[in-house]
Amino acid sequence: MDENRVTDQGAPRGVTDTDPASASGGPAADVVRLCRELIRIDTTNRGGNVSVGEPEAADYCARWMRQAGMRPRFFESSPGRVSVIGHLPGWDPDAPGLVLHGHTDVVPAEAEEWSVDPFSAEMKDGMIWGRGAVDMKGMDAMILSTLLHLARTGQRPRRPLTVAFFADEEAGGVYGAQWIVDNHPEVFDGCTEAISEVGGFSTQVGDARAYLVQTAEKGLAWLNLTAVDRPGHGSAQHPDNAVTHLAAAMHRIGTHQWPLEYTKTTRMLLEQVAELTGTVFDEADPTPQLEQLGHAMSWVAGTLRTSTNPTGLTAGYKHNVIPSTATGTVDMRLLPGSEQEALATVAELAGEHVTVEPEHRDVGLETPFSGDLVELMVTALRAEDPEAEVLPFMLGGGTDNKSLSRLGITGYGFSPLRLPPELEFTSLFHGIDERVPVDALEFGCRVLERMLEPRAEA
Ligand SMILES: [Zn+2]
């Protein structure tokens, strides 16, 4: 891309409301307003470079970044695909940089399936309703509201911050985080760790309220399977049939019982759940612990095994012609640490007549649930919720932390939300009637501010 399209110019568009609340409101003073206004900017990402609204959302974030003391720069990877990044100095000259990042895009919403307009940001039952409330305009608003409060009260965070609002996360970050890491890695110079989405929310575990911090992500491999054999007439005896080979391979791969496999993260999580609920953790059957995980149960269950789902088959063009080639696609999700073994198993299951090639791969991540930043998260959560239990978990999907990991930056999913136990929170990601409680967002701002260890400027 053309270097002069990286710019710190750009006037905010579509922002007509009055200025944000005063310092008296604390770090959460602006969070509701920011979250609602972001939801009202339709940033639907349909994948394959088809999207709307990211430039407007980047402009909107940039406006508040400037008020928070940053000079934001825009990064346009392709026409209409805009991310915005700014820096804020810290008060501790020895502290390494911390990335706070969010994405501005959202997955599509079919309005007729919703009970409210998905882009109106309606307030109902103490919650903000709309596409992106959970994933992840709520956290975007929490970051901005917290930093605005620091600026208004003349405080700085301990660590220097790189604050990024990326485009295109929902389609793998090709036009967002991936592109910036490839083309402008210098933006993240000095940063060692990152904080972002999908983690830090509470779930009921037995009688305890447990916050799940994301310290690991599964990897992915999108596989192309190809069978090539002798073409022929459909009326003949013909055992060397590419369609038959491929169908058999797909059946073996799709029905394979992947074994239970624990990483440091999932083992620690299940052991701690066992302790909290007075159950015994038996490696051969984690059901008693999974059943105690509330709305997080299916997510955690999905991180205890590799998975291989056949997703496509293509072969042939006529009933009476045996084609020479048949192809198929498989979505494979891998556990960090055993990727090579799992890929070898798939090749074996495919059999001698079928080749397996990855079309796209993304790394799995895992980092220990320890260290200064993790301790800060725990301390900040307990300061706001003295009964908080804090546990690590692995995410089955991926986030922009995968891209940042290529720069040696360790990422955590930590968007702290204290949630009512009856809310099926995990099903709201990409779900119908996506919504987030206002008091959870306010709680999150207070936790984030504590975690940044602010201090009055000298
Ligand atoms: Zn997201």
Side-chain angles (χ1 to χ4, degrees):
M1 97 148 217
D2 180 354
E3 185 65 26
N4 62 24
R5 272 159 63 196
V6 175
T7 167
D8 59 5
Q9 300 307 304
R13 276 178 275 169
V15 179
T16 51
D17 283 13
T18 50
D19 278 329
S22 68
S24 59
D30 305 305
V31 72
V32 169
R33 175 198 170 175
L34 290 166
C35 178
R36 296 182 75 196
E37 290 182 353
L38 277 167
I39 289 171
R40 289 188 191 126
I41 305 172
D42 178 356
T43 51
T44 300
N45 183 353
R46 298 187 183 276
N49 206 7
V50 180
S51 75
V52 293
E54 286 169 355
E56 288 78 13
D59 277 345
Y60 182 83
C61 293
R63 169 179 167 175
W64 304 117
M65 291 166 84
R66 285 188 204 100
Q67 294 222 9
M70 287 174 261
R71 275 178 60 83
R73 291 171 73 198
F74 295 101
F75 295 83
E76 189 168 24
S77 57
S78 168
R81 309 310 303 267
V82 181
S83 302
V84 58
I85 301 180
H87 301 278
L88 204 60
W91 57 258
D92 179 352
D94 300 322
L98 175 68
V99 185
L100 296 181
H101 63 103
H103 60 83
T104 59
D105 61 322
V106 295
V107 294
E110 299 296 335
E112 59 274 16
E113 296 173 339
W114 286 53
S115 64
V116 296
D117 173 350
F119 298 101
S120 69
E122 217 172 285
M123 298 276 276
K124 208 172 68 168
D125 309 327
M127 295 192 249
I128 302 171
W129 297 57
R131 177 56 87 221
V134 166
D135 188 5
M136 67 170 288
K137 289 173 171 172
M139 175 63 167
D140 295 340
M142 277 159 52
I143 293 171
L144 286 170
S145 182
T146 304
L147 297 180
L148 281 166
H149 182 247
L150 294 191
R152 271 192 219 115
T153 52
Q155 300 185 86
R156 285 198 186 286
R158 184 172 76 81
R159 297 171 68 165
L161 300 180
T162 296
V163 181
F165 296 100
F166 291 122
D168 200 34
E169 193 277 343
E170 296 295 359
V174 175
Y175 297 100
Q178 269 196 45
W179 186 88
I180 293 169
V181 163
D182 286 338
N183 293 279
H184 292 279
E186 75 284 352
V187 173
F188 302 102
D189 277 355
C191 295
T192 55
E193 290 166 310
I195 280 175
S196 187
E197 60 174 336
V198 210
F201 52 82
S202 69
T203 185
Q204 195 71 20
V205 175
D207 296 327
R209 186 166 40 251
Y211 293 78
L212 302 184
V213 175
Q214 193 256 97
T215 55
E217 294 183 7
K218 265 177 131 174
L220 78 82
W222 288 344
L223 305 175
N224 292 333
L225 276 67
T226 310
V228 180
D229 216 323
R230 199 161 51 84
H233 196 287
S235 66
Q237 294 295 317
H238 197 107
D240 313 325
N241 183 320
V243 177
T244 312
H245 295 324
L246 183 76
M250 291 296 253
H251 177 76
R252 286 191 296 270
I253 290 169
T255 56
H256 182 66
Q257 289 297 308
W258 291 94
L260 280 166
E261 203 179 318
Y262 300 93
T263 71
K264 284 199 173 84
T265 303
T266 53
R267 181 182 298 278
M268 184 189 255
L269 171 61
L270 293 170
E271 283 175 356
Q272 293 197 5
V273 169
E275 212 177 298
L276 282 174
T277 57
T279 53
V280 177
F281 173 48
D282 171 6
E283 274 193 21
D285 182 14
T287 313
Q289 286 72 46
L290 289 173
E291 283 175 344
Q292 297 286 334
L293 271 161
H295 63 81
M297 177 174 77
S298 66
W299 274 19
V300 173
T303 61
L304 303 182
R305 301 171 195 270
T306 302
S307 67
T308 40
N309 284 306
T311 48
L313 289 169
T314 313
Y317 51 92
K318 201 167 185 301
H319 264 90
N320 60 356
V321 179
I322 297 167
S324 61
T325 305
T327 60
T329 57
V330 170
D331 185 356
M332 179 176 192
R333 304 300 172 115
L334 306 99
L335 293 168
S338 61
E339 289 97 335
Q340 289 319 314
E341 232 178 292
L343 285 166
T345 302
V346 168
E348 215 172 282
L349 292 167
E352 54 173 332
H353 302 290
V354 178
T355 58
V356 181
E357 292 289 341
E359 176 177 309
H360 172 63
R361 281 198 65 178
D362 218 336
V363 290
L365 305 176
E366 183 161 46
T367 190
F369 188 58
S370 59
D372 291 350
L373 186 56
V374 167
E375 273 172 40
L376 267 174
M377 293 176 198
V378 175
T379 307
L381 280 170
R382 292 220 172 114
E384 293 297 331
D385 181 359
E387 287 160 32
E389 298 287 345
V390 189
L391 311 174
F393 89 107
M394 181 186 296
L395 183 64
T399 71
D400 283 334
N401 279 330
K402 286 197 196 308
S403 293
L404 294 177
S405 76
R406 291 194 281 123
L407 300 174
I409 296 171
T410 303
Y412 298 89
F414 189 68
S415 302
L417 296 172
R418 177 176 167 163
L419 298 169
E422 67 279 4
L423 185 69
E424 283 293 318
F425 183 69
T426 51
S427 67
L428 296 177
F429 283 80
H430 302 189
I432 292 162
D433 284 341
E434 185 176 346
R435 59 198 184 275
V436 68
V438 166
D439 58 4
L441 292 178
E442 292 170 345
F443 170 87
C445 293
R446 295 194 299 271
V447 173
L448 281 184
E449 185 174 75
R450 284 178 185 279
M451 212 193 59
L452 297 176
E453 303 171 280
R455 216 186 240 186
E457 283 175 271

